[in-house]
Amino acid sequence: MQFPATRTPKLFRTITTATVTASLHNPPNSTTTGNREAEQSCLALLQSCNTLPKLFQTHTYILKLGLQNNPLVLTKFASTSSDLEDIDYASSFIFSPRSGTRLYDTFLFNTVIRAYAHTTHSRDRALCYYRVMLGYGVLPNKFTYPFVLKACAGLGSLNLGKSVHGSVVKFGFDDDVHVQNTMVHMYCCCDGGINYAQKVFDEMPKLDSVSWSAMIGGYVRLGWSSDAIGLFRKMQMVGVHPDEITMVLVLSACTDLGAFELGKWVESYIEKEGVQKNVELCNALIDMFAKCGDVDKALKLFRDMSGRTIVTWTSVIVGLAMHGRGLEAVSLFEEMIGTGVAPDDVAFIGLLSACSHSGLVENGRKYFDLMIKRFKIVPKIEHYGCMVDLFCRAGLVKEALEFVQNMRIEPNPIVLRTLISACRAHGELKLGESITKQLIRNEPMHESNYVLLSNIYAKMSHWEKKTKIRELMDKRGMKKIPGSTMIELDNKIYEFVAGDKSHGQSKEIYEMVDEMGRELKRAGYAPTTSEVLQDIDEEDKEDALNRHSEKLAIAFALLNTQPGTPIRIVKNLRVCSDCHSATKFISKIYNREIVVRDRNRFHYFKEGLCSCGDFW
């Protein structure tokens, strides 16, 4: 039998050279009192091992006592090595060419498979040792397959997972709820596996909280947040009590949808049902409130927490960034450092983003340098992207271009698109055209590159060139990602797209849009018709702007809520300058506070003003 290749530490080679040969000539007799005492002695030593040097010493002791083929000792050795994050060391010993594998049992193989399944870099070896196990005629049990399936989930291999599923059926473990739960999770983690997960889930005779959480988690991973919420409601209807894992997933779905009222209900449900509020659940609550529009509530939860992690601090910093409260984010970051919590690369992304959204150019420069020099963090493309965004939002297009040219890594398309958008916004149209053409050469099938070039030609009034770009997109089957806006009302999520007429209240919504248009003009609003990318007359351009998804959602809210009620909407793209200007007027005309979460940040419109100060 060929064992998976593992690294063999020099220390291990030294130990085996000195002791293995002699001990093989004197195999232990496990029935003797002396060997039982030696076995217990080794197990006790392994139990107390908390460093690798101690493990190496115990390894020598095992060989000295001739217990290198004792399954119980080897199982504990593997478990201890895994705890010390060095399962390779154990496997190179347990499965060395001179090992007496005839005594190895299912428990030992399960321990090794489990250890590899829990790694981030060697999950494929879990499958290798599973095959070794079968090759030696050692039969798997119901505890084997959750570990094997977990490894398949980590690898994201649908075909591999389906093969293991076949083995589960062959050995008769397909009716075990723990195996079924892990199988649902595995399929949810594989591209194209969600339908298989649903089939396993639907055919399970008994569903526990883990089953529901696995399926809800699958929907959340795919971004099917409405489906995740719907499944959670079914879970409640059948009387299955959710645990903290379920609630973390449900809160993640609320966060994605921007479902503030539902998120508040989930918080009260957690309190009412006595769901254990561990750190992960508290972090999820903070993240939900911050990203659903109530960053002050997120801050209160943060202050009430005792065991904060770096994730806790980062969630609040990112939340403050999204709300344009950059100085508070900077202050919180300094507080974090003062408490002895070392920032990681994600915390710096949040901090630099906060600087960007609040126009804190000098702060951004300072913290970018601090990250590199004091905390020795090598900048990733996300950090560079934040800095480019910082310069671009401040109108420092030339400085942004110089920064990109001096980056130590190649700029990715996202960085270049940020630069192109800034060129368009600040009149550097020729430069934007040049960069976009280069981007199209590098990514000829990415539709957003063509949209950017089309936008630039529209701004330059080069309608013939713009038309050719659109024709090329049509020829290649490319379509612009449509703008969509979601709004939560009476425990339901409604979604609108530009020009949408599918809603049951379409007639009333468009009548309200027309009324809004008349009121806006009366108040002095002038449409930003340059946002319309067609060569049509001004009246048609104004009509096209009135059909943007956020205006439809606001009209729907004005029709269906009491006067003075705040309106909260979530846009999938960055809000356009015309809708931004119009929403300021609407907030004053209709005396409504309007909260808009777009792709980048929050905008609070009230009495004709926006919290972003037009710096967005």
Side-chain angles (χ1 to χ4, degrees):
M1 174 62 63
Q2 182 68 41
F3 293 110
T6 58
R7 61 177 179 82
T8 305
K10 184 178 179 181
L11 175 60
F12 173 67
R13 293 199 299 270
T14 305
I15 292 170
T16 54
T17 302
T19 60
V20 167
T21 305
S23 60
L24 279 173
H25 290 295
N26 299 288
N29 181 350
S30 60
T31 63
T32 67
T33 302
N35 282 321
R36 280 199 297 272
E37 289 176 354
E39 180 183 88
Q40 291 304 311
S41 175
C42 284
L43 292 174
L45 283 171
L46 288 167
Q47 183 66 34
S48 64
C49 272
N50 54 12
T51 64
L52 283 174
K54 286 185 180 179
L55 181 71
F56 300 153
Q57 290 172 2
T58 306
H59 179 190
T60 308
Y61 188 60
I62 291 169
L63 293 171
K64 182 178 178 182
L65 294 175
L67 295 174
Q68 70 277 359
N69 293 323
N70 182 300
L72 189 58
V73 171
L74 294 181
T75 299
K76 184 61 178 175
F77 189 85
S79 176
T80 303
S81 298
S82 176
D83 292 341
L84 296 172
E85 299 182 356
D86 200 355
I87 185 58
D88 282 341
Y89 181 80
S91 59
S92 64
F93 167 36
I94 296 167
F95 297 103
S96 69
R98 299 184 181 188
S99 298
T101 54
R102 68 188 184 281
L103 298 175
Y104 291 3
D105 58 13
T106 304
F107 190 35
L108 174 55
F109 275 102
N110 283 355
T111 303
V112 174
I113 292 168
R114 175 184 178 277
Y116 277 114
H118 282 89
T119 65
T120 56
H121 57 283
S122 302
R123 294 187 182 109
D124 56 322
R125 293 193 182 183
L127 277 299
C128 291
Y129 282 108
Y130 168 66
R131 295 189 191 101
V132 170
M133 178 184 189
L134 297 180
Y136 269 96
V138 179
L139 293 177
N141 60 19
K142 66 179 182 179
F143 301 106
T144 308
Y145 284 105
F147 305 142
V148 177
L149 290 165
K150 182 178 175 64
C152 293
L155 294 169
S157 172
L158 181 59
N159 288 334
L160 194 57
K162 288 164 70 175
S163 174
V164 174
H165 186 171
S167 294
V168 168
V169 174
K170 176 184 174 182
F171 286 105
F173 298 116
D174 52 319
D175 60 351
D176 181 85
V177 67
H178 191 39
V179 173
Q180 291 169 331
N181 288 342
T182 318
M183 198 175 295
V184 171
H185 170 72
M186 178 274 295
Y187 278 128
C188 286
C189 291
C190 298
D191 287 342
I194 193 68
N195 291 332
Y196 294 98
Q198 188 69 64
K199 187 173 187 299
V200 174
F201 179 82
D202 290 342
E203 293 176 356
M204 288 175 66
K206 183 180 179 182
L207 298 166
D208 58 17
S209 64
V210 178
S211 319
W212 290 93
S213 294
M215 198 66 235
I216 291 169
Y219 287 147
V220 170
R221 283 185 197 90
L222 286 174
W224 297 2
S225 297
S226 295
D227 296 282
I229 297 298
L231 194 60
F232 173 64
R233 286 180 172 142
K234 286 183 182 177
M235 179 183 180
Q236 289 178 282
M237 288 169 63
V238 299
V240 177
H241 194 275
D243 58 17
E244 62 271 19
I245 296 172
T246 316
M247 302 317 296
V248 167
L249 292 166
V250 172
L251 285 167
S252 178
C254 293
T255 303
D256 181 52
L257 293 169
F260 178 63
E261 294 302 323
L262 180 59
K264 287 200 298 183
W265 177 87
V266 171
E267 185 198 24
S268 64
Y269 180 85
I270 289 167
E271 295 293 342
K272 184 180 73 175
E273 297 295 322
V275 178
Q276 182 184 352
K277 289 173 74 172
N278 58 17
V279 174
E280 289 75 19
L281 183 52
C282 290
N283 287 346
L285 279 165
I286 288 170
D287 193 51
M288 181 276 294
F289 278 112
K291 291 178 180 174
C292 286
D294 193 348
V295 74
D296 290 315
K297 172 70 173 182
L299 273 166
K300 183 181 184 304
L301 290 171
F302 171 81
R303 293 299 178 194
D304 290 342
M305 272 183 76
S306 54
R308 300 169 190 153
T309 65
I310 183 66
V311 175
T312 317
W313 290 91
T314 302
S315 295
V316 182
I317 290 169
V318 169
L320 290 168
M322 289 182 69
H323 290 264
R325 291 161 64 167
L327 289 174
E328 289 177 71
V330 167
S331 176
L332 192 66
F333 180 83
E334 292 291 348
E335 181 184 338
M336 179 182 77
I337 294 174
T339 62
V341 177
D344 58 10
D345 60 322
V346 181
F348 272 105
I349 292 170
L351 179 66
L352 293 173
S353 175
C355 293
S356 173
H357 288 304
S358 298
L360 305 175
V361 177
E362 293 308 314
N363 290 75
R365 286 195 182 103
K366 167 190 163 184
Y367 285 113
F368 186 79
D369 289 340
L370 186 78
M371 176 183 74
I372 298 168
K373 294 173 182 175
R374 177 176 167 185
F375 292 100
K376 311 300 180 187
I377 295 174
V378 177
K380 294 182 178 179
I381 192 66
E382 293 85 358
H383 301 106
Y384 285 117
C386 286
M387 292 301 293
V388 173
D389 191 53
L390 172 72
F391 294 133
C392 287
R393 286 177 187 274
L396 305 172
V397 180
K398 293 292 176 66
E399 188 167 348
L401 178 62
E402 185 180 343
F403 183 85
V404 169
Q405 291 169 339
N406 292 328
M407 281 167 52
R408 294 190 177 183
I409 55 178
E410 255 332 277
N412 67 2
I414 296 171
V415 170
L416 294 178
R417 289 184 198 115
T418 301
L419 197 56
I420 293 163
S421 296
C423 288
R424 176 174 176 259
H426 296 286
E428 299 284 350
L429 301 178
K430 285 291 183 184
L431 177 60
E433 180 186 15
S434 172
I435 299 170
T436 310
K437 285 181 176 179
Q438 178 60 47
L439 198 52
I440 288 173
R441 283 193 288 272
N442 294 339
E443 283 188 325
M445 295 306 294
H446 203 293
E447 73 283 347
S448 65
N449 299 333
Y450 295 88
V451 173
L452 284 170
L453 188 56
S454 176
N455 291 350
I456 288 172
Y457 286 145
K459 196 76 176 279
M460 297 167 78
S461 297
H462 291 176
W463 300 111
E464 186 177 340
K465 288 183 178 180
K466 185 208 75 66
T467 301
K468 285 182 179 179
I469 292 295
R470 292 288 175 165
E471 288 173 352
L472 181 59
M473 287 179 70
D474 290 338
K475 184 178 177 181
R476 295 185 176 180
M478 298 175 180
K479 293 191 179 295
K480 181 181 178 181
I481 298 172
S484 71
T485 300
M486 291 187 293
I487 182 169
E488 180 188 18
L489 196 64
D490 297 330
N491 296 319
K492 287 184 70 177
I493 304 292
Y494 298 89
E495 185 172 13
F496 295 89
V497 295
D500 191 359
K501 292 187 178 180
S502 62
H503 195 278
Q505 285 184 278
S506 265
K507 183 174 180 293
E508 294 87 347
I509 289 169
Y510 278 93
E511 287 174 353
M512 176 55 77
V513 167
D514 290 338
E515 180 198 305
M516 286 160 50
R518 290 190 294 272
E519 293 294 333
L520 284 166
K521 280 191 175 180
R522 197 174 291 122
Y525 157 76
T528 312
T529 54
S530 62
E531 291 286 340
V532 182
L533 304 181
Q534 288 85 22
D535 185 14
I536 53 179
D537 62 40
E538 289 299 304
E539 186 176 343
D540 287 339
K541 285 184 178 181
E542 289 182 25
D543 188 59
L545 288 169
N546 283 338
R547 270 56 182 167
H548 279 192
S549 63
E550 48 265 65
K551 287 176 182 160
L552 298 178
I554 290 171
F556 173 71
L558 291 172
L559 284 169
N560 292 282
T561 59
Q562 292 296 317
T565 306
I567 297 170
R568 296 174 181 271
I569 61 176
V570 178
K571 177 93 188 269
N572 68 328
L573 305 173
R574 185 180 179 184
V575 64
C576 75
S577 60
D578 177 75
C579 285
H580 189 268
S581 175
T583 306
K584 287 196 288 186
F585 277 90
I586 293 168
S587 71
K588 186 173 184 178
I589 293 166
Y590 292 93
N591 191 28
R592 296 290 189 107
E593 180 181 342
I594 303 173
V595 181
V596 180
R597 187 184 92 182
D598 70 8
R599 185 175 61 188
N600 294 323
R601 61 166 297 156
F602 276 91
H603 301 265
Y604 288 84
F605 298 93
K606 190 174 182 180
E607 297 177 354
L609 300 173
C610 179
S611 61
C612 72
D614 292 338
F615 187 82
W616 54 285

